[in-house]
Amino acid sequence: MDTEVAPAVEAVAADIAEMEIRGAATIAGAAAEALATQARASDAGTADQFRAEMHAAASYLYDTRPTAVSLPNALRFVFQGMDGTTVESLRQSAVDAAERFQSQLDRAQDDLGEIGANRLRDGDTVMTHCHSTDALACVEAALDQGKDLSAVVKETRPRNQGHITAEQLRQWDVPVTLIVDSAARRYLDEVDHVLVGADAVAADGSVVNKIGTSGLAVSARERGVPIMTAAQIIKLHPGTMTGHTVEIEMRDEDEVIDPSEREEIGQITVENPAFDVTPPRYMDAIVTERGQFPPESIVTLMRELFGETSARPWEGPV
Amino acid sequence: MDTEVAPAVEAVAADIAEMEIRGAATIAGAAAEALATQARASDAGTADQFRAEMHAAASYLYDTRPTAVSLPNALRFVFQGMDGTTVESLRQSAVDAAERFQSQLDRAQDDLGEIGANRLRDGDTVMTHCHSTDALACVEAALDQGKDLSAVVKETRPRNQGHITAEQLRQWDVPVTLIVDSAARRYLDEVDHVLVGADAVAADGSVVNKIGTSGLAVSARERGVPIMTAAQIIKLHPGTMTGHTVEIEMRDEDEVIDPSEREEIGQITVENPAFDVTPPRYMDAIVTERGQFPPESIVTLMRELFGETSARPWEGPV
Amino acid sequence: MDTEVAPAVEAVAADIAEMEIRGAATIAGAAAEALATQARASDAGTADQFRAEMHAAASYLYDTRPTAVSLPNALRFVFQGMDGTTVESLRQSAVDAAERFQSQLDRAQDDLGEIGANRLRDGDTVMTHCHSTDALACVEAALDQGKDLSAVVKETRPRNQGHITAEQLRQWDVPVTLIVDSAARRYLDEVDHVLVGADAVAADGSVVNKIGTSGLAVSARERGVPIMTAAQIIKLHPGTMTGHTVEIEMRDEDEVIDPSEREEIGQITVENPAFDVTPPRYMDAIVTERGQFPPESIVTLMRELFGETSARPWEGPV
Amino acid sequence: MDTEVAPAVEAVAADIAEMEIRGAATIAGAAAEALATQARASDAGTADQFRAEMHAAASYLYDTRPTAVSLPNALRFVFQGMDGTTVESLRQSAVDAAERFQSQLDRAQDDLGEIGANRLRDGDTVMTHCHSTDALACVEAALDQGKDLSAVVKETRPRNQGHITAEQLRQWDVPVTLIVDSAARRYLDEVDHVLVGADAVAADGSVVNKIGTSGLAVSARERGVPIMTAAQIIKLHPGTMTGHTVEIEMRDEDEVIDPSEREEIGQITVENPAFDVTPPRYMDAIVTERGQFPPESIVTLMRELFGETSARPWEGPV
Amino acid sequence: MDTEVAPAVEAVAADIAEMEIRGAATIAGAAAEALATQARASDAGTADQFRAEMHAAASYLYDTRPTAVSLPNALRFVFQGMDGTTVESLRQSAVDAAERFQSQLDRAQDDLGEIGANRLRDGDTVMTHCHSTDALACVEAALDQGKDLSAVVKETRPRNQGHITAEQLRQWDVPVTLIVDSAARRYLDEVDHVLVGADAVAADGSVVNKIGTSGLAVSARERGVPIMTAAQIIKLHPGTMTGHTVEIEMRDEDEVIDPSEREEIGQITVENPAFDVTPPRYMDAIVTERGQFPPESIVTLMRELFGETSARPWEGPV
Amino acid sequence: MDTEVAPAVEAVAADIAEMEIRGAATIAGAAAEALATQARASDAGTADQFRAEMHAAASYLYDTRPTAVSLPNALRFVFQGMDGTTVESLRQSAVDAAERFQSQLDRAQDDLGEIGANRLRDGDTVMTHCHSTDALACVEAALDQGKDLSAVVKETRPRNQGHITAEQLRQWDVPVTLIVDSAARRYLDEVDHVLVGADAVAADGSVVNKIGTSGLAVSARERGVPIMTAAQIIKLHPGTMTGHTVEIEMRDEDEVIDPSEREEIGQITVENPAFDVTPPRYMDAIVTERGQFPPESIVTLMRELFGETSARPWEGPV
C-alpha cells in the first residue's frame, strides 16, 4: 500500500536519524508527538485508511533507529490507546494517548528521582558511572529532601561522560572526587551507594548500561556496597520477554585511541562496545517511576505494561 | 659519624632520585653496583670504618626513594653477603655479593618468563593490564616455546601504558585487541589467562600493582578465568613480613584530567592513586624466577630470602 | 476542619500508644475495629462529613505509632473497601471491610503456618531466632501434619526472646537445644532449616527482622542450610515500593548492659538497634498466608495488595 | 456418590498408569481429551449430575499418577473453563476448554523453542543434560534461525538419555561431543550456554530436573557460563505455591548397578533418585511458551495461571 | 619408673589445675620455669636419671590441662633445648632453654603487637570479639605509633568478656561502642578492621577462638572488611600437623541461662561450646611475634618451630 | 655414550611399560629397586663410569612412562642420596638411598592414613570418588582408632572404580550407599567429609585427580562439607614448581560408550579425559605422610623435598 506519511513525521524521523533529537526520553516524546501530528493531519476517509497511515508513520519512525528502546515503546503506547471504529474516534484516541504518554514522560523522571532518593541516606557518598539523567534525578531529589551527599565520579572512558556528571553535581554543590575507572574498587570502601542508569533493561533482570557497569557491579557486591539502577520504564525492552537479547552497539574506534597514536603502535584491532550486561544477581534494585523492583521482578512490571507479546502493534494487519 | 660516601655513589643516588635510573631491576642493579664501587674505593683503615662507610653509602642510596621495593632489597642482598673481619675480606665479600646480585638479576627475568610461559597453553588469549616487562617476559618465553598467543590489551588509564604493551606484542607478531579498561569484564569471556605484573608483593599474599588490577582480578575470578602475577623477587617487600603495608603513591592529578578541562567543571577533587591491592584469594599464582607460588605461600620464599626480620641491615650498630 | 473522633477510637489509640495493645496482628485488628466503631457511631449528615470523620479517625490512630507496619495496612484495607455516595453505603462498606479484614487476620496465621509447614520434612531440626508467632505457626502446623521436629533455639540477646520460643516449643513437646547467638554457625551443621519471622518486608525483597537475622542468614547460606521468613501480609511495607527504607528502632541501652556495670567500664557508647536488614539473596522464601514467594518476588504480591502508590488513603482530599 | 466414568476415560487412565501414554505433554493432552470425551458422552440430566460426573472422571484420571505435574494441570485447565448453569452450557464449555488446552499444547513447544533460541548466539556451543524435548526445541529453533551450534552432551547416568539427545542433534547435523557426567566442569570452559529441561518448576524458583542438574548448575555459575531451563507451563507445580515440595521419585536400583555385579560387592545400599532440586540462584532463566522469567519470578506466572489456591478444582463440593 | 617430681613442680601443677595460674602465656611461662626448677633441684646421679626426672616432671605438668596448647609448647621448647651427655650439661642446657623461652615470651606480645599495629591505619575503627591480650597489644602498639583508633566492642556472650575489652580500651582513651553479638553484621559497615585473638591455631590454617568468631569472620568477608587473628606462637597446635583436631571445651550450662529461669522453660538441653573453628579462607592474616602469615601458610612456621612430628618429646624412651 | 643398562633394569622397565607394574607406589618402589640393582650389578671401573651407568639406567626407566609422577620422584630420591668420589662409595650410597626410599614408601600409606584419620570424627559419613588406596588408608586408620564410619560411594564413571571402593569398605564392615556420580550434590547434605586421592599435586596447590573431582569439590564447598585429598609425597609433581602443568591423559573412548551403541547414534566425538584439576580454594587439606597441608602450602613441602629445581638429576653432565 502506498500510504502517505505526514511531512512533520518525516521531519521528526530525520532529526532522530541525524541525532538532532537524542536521549531516550526526548526521542520517545518526539515519536509520540509525531504520531499525534499524523493523526491530526490525516484526511483519511475510512478507519482502515486511517489505521494504515498510522502504521506507516510508526514504521517510518521505527526504522530510523531500530535499536533504541524508548522509540518503539512510545509507538506501542500510542497504538495501545488508539481505539475506535471511526476515523474521528481513532484520531481522538490516538491524540489522547500521545498526550497521556507525554504527560507521563514529563512526570517520570521526577517520580523516579523521588523513589531513588528514598534509598539514599543523609551523609551518603555515592559513586556514579557515566552520565545518566535518571541517576542524577535521584541525587537531585535527595538534595531536595535535605540530604547531604558527596560523590565519587568515575570518568567513564572512552568519552568521559563522568565530566558532565561532575559538572552537574557541582552545580548542585555536591562535593565531587573524580577518579579513573580503574580506581573504582579502591574507592568503593569510601562509598555508601553506587548509582547507575540504564540503556535498556531486560526481562531476565539484566541491565544493559554503559560499558564498565557490570565490572563495577561485581566489585560493589564484593565490597559490600549496595548498587541501584535508575531507569524510566521507556528503558524496559519488550523484546527480551521473548528471549531476544539487546544488541550492543560497537562505537567508533577513534574514541578509544587517536588514529595517529594508533598508527605508531602498529596493526591492532580496537574494540569499543558502548554497553555491557549486568546480571540481576549483582544489582540490588531497579528504580523506575512506577516503583522500585529487584531486577528479578522487573518482568512483572513489563508484563503489566506490554502484555505477553513483544510484537510491534503497528506491524499487524490493518 | 661523619662518614664519607664515594662520589660514584652520590652520582647513582642522584640519578635514582631524578628518575634517570628507573624501573625496579635497573634501580636494584645500580644500587648494588654503587655499593661495590664504594667497597672498591674505600681506603678505610679498619673493618669498623669500612662497615661504617658501607652503611653510610647504603643509607644515602636508600633515602633517595624509600618507597621503592627493589632498592633496599639490593642493599640487603649485599649486606647479607658482606662478611669478614678485615677490610680486605669485607671488601671482597661485598664486591662478590654485588656481582652475584647483578648476575641473578640478569638471569631473573628470563627464568621467570620461562616459568610463567609454562602456565600458558598454545592458542591462549591473554589479557594484560598496564605494561610489565616481567609479564611480557612470560609471553615472550611462550612464543619461544612455539606457542601461538593472542592478547586483549587494556589501555590502562590514566597513562595508557597499555599502548606500550600493545606495541611490544605487535613487534612479536602477537595479534592485539585494544580495549578501554571498563571493557575488561566483557572481554574476559574470550580470554584464557590474565597476566599482570607487580609493583610490590606483600607477605600476606597481597599484590600491589597498577590501579585497576584488583577490580580486574575480582572479575577474572567471577568469570572463571585464571590470573597470574609475574614478579621478580626484588618486588617482594620485606617490611610486610612485620605487618607494614605498602605505601600507595598518589600521582599528579593532571594525569587524570587536563587542567583546562578541569577548570570548566568547577571545584572538584581529583585522586590519582598509582596502585591498588589485590587480596591473595583473587590471584592464582605469583610467578618468580625462583618458581611459582600460590600468593598465600609467597611468605615462605620471603622467609628464605630475608629471614624473619624486616630491619635494614645497614642501620644496625657498626 | 474540626472533626470529631469517636471516644472508642481515642481509647484504642491510647492503648496502642501505651503498648497495652501490641503485636502486629493485634494492633492491626484493633485499628480496623476502631474504624468500624467510628463508622457505626458516626452521625454525619453528609457523605463528605462521614469521610472526613473517617479520615480523622484513621489519622488519629496512625499517629500513635507511625513506624508500625501493620497499623497503616489495616487502615488502608478499610479505606480501600469503603465505597459509596451516601453516608449509609459508606458506613456499611467500611464496617464490612473492617470485618473482612478481621476475618482474614483470624485465618492468616493458620494459613501461613500450613504453607510454611509444607516446606519442613519429618525429622527436621529447625533453628529459630527471637520469638515469632508466625514462625512458630509453621512449626505447629508441621507437628499437626504428624512431622517430628527438633529445635536449636538462639537465646536472642539482648532480650532473650529465645526463652519464650523455647517454652512454647516445649509445650508442644519439641526437643529444644538452647544456645547463645554466637554459637549459631557451629550448630548450623546440625540444622535442616532456619526459620525466622519479620518485623517488616520491603519491596526490594529485604527482610527487616530482629537484630542478628542478617548475620544468621549469611551463615546459613555459607553452611548450605535453607532459611525462610514467616510473615503475614500485614508485615509488607507499602512505603518501600517507592524506595522508602524501614526505620530501625534504637532501643533502650539498658537492655544491653546494666547501668551499674556500665559505669564501672567508663564512658562508652552503647547502641541497641532492634532490627537489621537481610538482603533477598540470603533468604530462600518468604512464607505468607497468600502463598510462598522468593524474596525477589514479594513486590508482586505487594502490587496486588496495595496497587502502585504508597500514599495513605486517609490523607487524600475529602 | 456412585458416579459413572466413561469407558474412554478408563482406557486413557489405564494407558497412563501403564505408561503407554508418557511424557508430560502427551499425558496432559490425553487427560484433557478424556475429560472432553466424558463431557460429550455424558447423559446427565442435571447440571449437578454433570459436574459430579466430570469430578469423578478427573479424580479417576488424577489417581493414576498423582506425582505427575502436567496431568492435574490439564484437569485444572478444563475445570477453570467449564462454566454454566445447564448441562449443555457446561458440556460445551468443558469441551471448548479441552480443545483450547490442546491447541495451546500444540503450539507450546514451538513458542518456547523460539524464545529459548533467542537467547543463543550464532556459533554457540551448548551443553545438555539428559534428554528434554523442550530444551531441544530451543536448539531446533536456533538452527531454523540460521544459527550454527555445537553441543557437548553429558551421557546422563544411570539411563544414558544423553545418547538420545546426541542422536537427535546429529539428525540436525549439530556436531556432538559426548562426555561422562563427571567431565562437565572441565568442558564448561569450552561451552557458551547450558541448556536443561525440567520435570517440575516450583513457586520458590527451584527447578526439579534429572539428577545431576543442580551440580551442573553450581559448576556453570562457578565457571561463569549462563544456564537456562526450558519448561512448558504444564511443568509449573501449583502445589508449591502453598509450600509443598515436589516428591522425588526413587527409581529402580538395577539402573545403577547390575544385580550380579552388585552381589559381588556385598551388602550395599543403592539409591537412585530420579531428580534433584536446583535453587533459583544458580539458574539464569526459565524459558516457557509464555516468555522467559528469572526463576525468582516464575511465581508471577503461576499466580496468573492458577490463582492463589493449589486446591484441586475437581475435589470441591459439587 | 617411680621417679620423683620436685615439690615446686607439684605446686605449679596444682596452681594450673585449679586455674590459679591461667592465661596461655602465664601457664607456659610457669611450666617452663617449673622444669628449670626441677633441673636445678635434681640430684640425679646419671644423665639417664636426670632425663627420667625431667620427663616425669613434664608429664606431671602436662596432665594438669592436656587441652591447653601453650603448656605442651613450653615443655617442648625446653626439651628441644636440653642436650648433653652429663647431668651437668643437661641441667645447664635445660635451665638455659627455660630462660630463653621465658625471655621470648616476655618479648612476644610486644613484638606481635607492633606487627599487628602496622596493619592498622590512623583513624581506623576496629571491631573486637571477646577479650584477647594479643589483640589488644596490637591496638596498644598502634596507639603508641600515634594512630587514632575507635572500637566497636561485641559483648561476647555468654561471659561478656567484651566488657573487659571495653574497659581496657577506655583506659587507653579509645572511644568504644558496645553492641550485642548479633549486631555485628550491621556495624561492620562502620568498621575498618576486625581484630580477634586465638585459643589455638591449626596446621590447616583454621583458627580456634571464642565461640562466635567464625560467624563474625564470615560476615566480615561478606561485608568486605579485613580481619586478622593475633596469636603468639605458643598458640600454634603441633598436634594439628598430623591431622588432630583441637578439642572444643563445653563449658558450664549456667553461663548460658540461670538455672531458675531454665526451670521455668521446662526440659531443655543447653549447649555452651567455648570455641568455634574459623576456616582459613575467612581470615586475612595471622599475626605472631615471628611475623604475619596468611592462615594457609602458618604451617610453614609450625614446621620451623616443631619439625614434622607432633609427638611429645618427654614421652620418648629415656 | 654407549652405556649398558643392567638386564634387571630392562625387565622392570618393560613391566612398567606394559603396566604389569602399576599403581604410583608400586612403580616408584620398583624403579628405586631397579636403580639399586643397577648399582649392585655395576662393574664400572671409575666413579664417572658408574655415574654414567646410573644416569643411563634412570633415563631408561624414566622413558617408559614420562607422565607418571611417582617414577621420576623415585629416581630423584636415589640420585639425591648418591654421593661419593669412588665407585664403592657411590654404589653404597645409591643402594642405601634406594632402601631408604623403599622403607619410607612402606611406611608412607600407614602414616598418611593415621593423619587423615585424625580429621574424621566418630560417626562420620564420608563420600568417596574413584578408588584411592591413600584415601582408603585414612578410613582404615579411623576404623582402627575405633571410629564408626559410613560411606556414600560415587560409582565414578566411566570405569566404575567406585565398585572396588565399595567392596573394600564392605570388607571392613563400613555401611555403603552406592550412587551415580550425578547424585553427589544431593547426597552431600548427608555427608560429613569428602575424601579423595590424587594422581598428582601441583605447586600452585591444584589437585589433579580422577575426572569429576573438581565438580565434586565445588559442590562440597557450596554445601559446606569439608573435603580432603590423601596423597603420598610421591604424587607431588616437581615440574609444577617451574610452572609446568600436569598433562591430562585422554583415555580410550570405548570406556565411555560401547562402539556398537555409538554407531547407532551417528558421527560423534567422544572425549574421555582421565583427570581434572581442582583449584586449591575448593580443597581444605592435602594429607601426606609428612603431615597435612592447606593446598596453598604444599609448595613448602615440595621445596623441602625437591629444592628449587625441577630438573632431572640423572640428566645432568656426568
Side-chain angles (χ1 to χ4, degrees), chain C residues 114-115 118-119 221 281 284-285 290-294 296-297 300-301 304, chain D residues 203-205 240-245 281 295-300 303 308:
Chain C
E114 188 77 30
I115 294 170
N118 288 337
R119 286 181 66 91
R221 178 57 39 86
R281 64 187 172 276
D284 289 297
R290 300 285 294 274
Q292 70 168 336
F293 294 82
E296 292 89 351
S297 269
T300 302
L301 179 59
E304 284 185 30
Chain D
D204 64 3
T240 57
M241 296 173 71
T242 46
H244 289 280
T245 49
R281 63 186 172 277
E296 293 88 351
S297 270
I298 200 69
V299 67
T300 301
R303 290 174 77 83
E308 208 158 76

Side-chain angles (χ1 to χ4, degrees), chain B residues 60 92 284:
Chain B
Y60 195 93
Q92 191 57 46
D284 289 297

Side-chain angles (χ1 to χ4, degrees), chain E:
Chain E
M1 190 170 12
D2 196 27
T3 314
E4 220 155 306
V5 165
V9 170
E10 285 179 357
V12 167
D15 283 355
I16 291 174
E18 290 156 22
M19 303 191 69
E20 298 286 317
I21 294 175
R22 55 187 300 182
T26 314
I27 289 175
E33 176 52 26
L35 282 188
T37 304
Q38 172 75 40
R40 286 194 206 94
S42 172
D43 51 8
T46 65
D48 276 2
Q49 196 184 337
F50 181 87
R51 268 199 221 89
E53 283 176 20
M54 291 296 282
H55 280 220
S59 295
Y60 194 93
L61 288 162
Y62 174 72
D63 287 344
T64 56
R65 287 196 62 189
T67 64
V69 176
S70 70
L71 198 158
N73 274 342
L75 305 178
R76 181 184 318 274
F77 190 96
V78 175
F79 272 79
Q80 281 176 344
M82 185 173 80
D83 191 31
T85 52
T86 65
V87 168
E88 219 34 56
S89 59
L90 285 166
R91 190 198 316 272
Q92 193 55 47
S93 60
V95 169
D96 287 354
E99 282 169 3
R100 219 159 49 236
F101 181 76
Q102 185 61 52
S103 141
Q104 288 182 12
L105 209 53
D106 290 345
R107 235 182 25 237
Q109 203 167 67
D110 283 352
D111 288 357
L112 173 160
E114 190 76 29
I115 294 171
N118 288 337
R119 286 181 65 90
L120 302 176
R121 290 164 307 174
D122 186 29
D124 271 3
T125 298
V126 300
M127 182 178 280
T128 65
H129 182 66
C130 200
H131 175 251
S132 152
T133 57
D134 284 350
L136 285 174
C138 301
V139 173
E140 191 178 19
L143 297 172
D144 287 350
Q145 292 171 354
K147 293 170 181 165
D148 266 333
L149 298 179
S150 304
V152 174
V153 172
K154 295 176 67 203
E155 60 174 7
T156 320
R157 280 275 294 156
R159 290 173 67 216
N160 289 339
Q161 295 100 323
H163 294 185
I164 311 175
T165 297
E167 197 171 348
Q168 176 62 85
L169 290 168
R170 286 310 298 146
Q171 286 172 10
W172 294 333
D173 278 333
V174 174
V176 165
T177 301
L178 182 73
I179 59 169
V180 297
D181 299 304
S182 279
R185 185 172 176 274
R186 183 184 151 96
Y187 283 89
L188 279 167
D189 283 340
E190 305 172 14
V191 158
D192 302 292
H193 223 114
V194 180
L195 191 47
V196 299
D199 190 68
V201 174
D204 64 2
S206 302
V207 171
V208 179
N209 192 39
K210 180 63 50 191
I211 191 79
T213 303
S214 75
L216 173 60
V218 169
S219 285
R221 178 57 39 86
E222 189 259 341
R223 289 289 81 201
V225 182
I227 173 167
M228 64 166 137
T229 294
Q232 293 180 48
I233 61 172
I234 50 172
K235 303 293 185 66
L236 305 182
H237 191 305
T240 57
M241 295 173 71
T242 47
H244 289 280
T245 50
V246 179
E247 206 182 326
I248 304 290
E249 182 189 355
M250 298 302 287
R251 295 181 56 85
D252 193 339
E253 302 174 10
D254 295 1
E255 287 181 3
V256 176
I257 184 169
D258 186 75
S260 65
E261 210 176 344
R262 179 173 177 169
E263 205 161 330
E264 280 171 39
I265 292 175
Q267 276 293 98
I268 57 171
T269 302
V270 176
E271 300 211 357
N272 185 18
F275 308 111
D276 65 13
V277 181
T278 303
R281 63 187 173 278
Y282 300 122
M283 186 65 64
D284 289 296
I286 297 175
V287 172
T288 77
E289 69 268 35
R290 300 285 293 274
Q292 69 167 337
F293 294 82
E296 293 87 352
S297 270
I298 199 70
V299 67
T300 302
L301 180 59
M302 293 174 76
R303 289 174 77 84
E304 283 185 31
L305 293 171
F306 309 128
E308 209 158 72
T309 176
S310 61
R312 297 165 193 135
W314 58 90
E315 287 181 348
V318 179

Side-chain angles (χ1 to χ4, degrees), chain D residues 4-19:
Chain D
E4 220 154 309
V5 165
V9 171
E10 288 178 355
V12 167
D15 284 356
I16 292 173
E18 289 155 25
M19 301 191 68

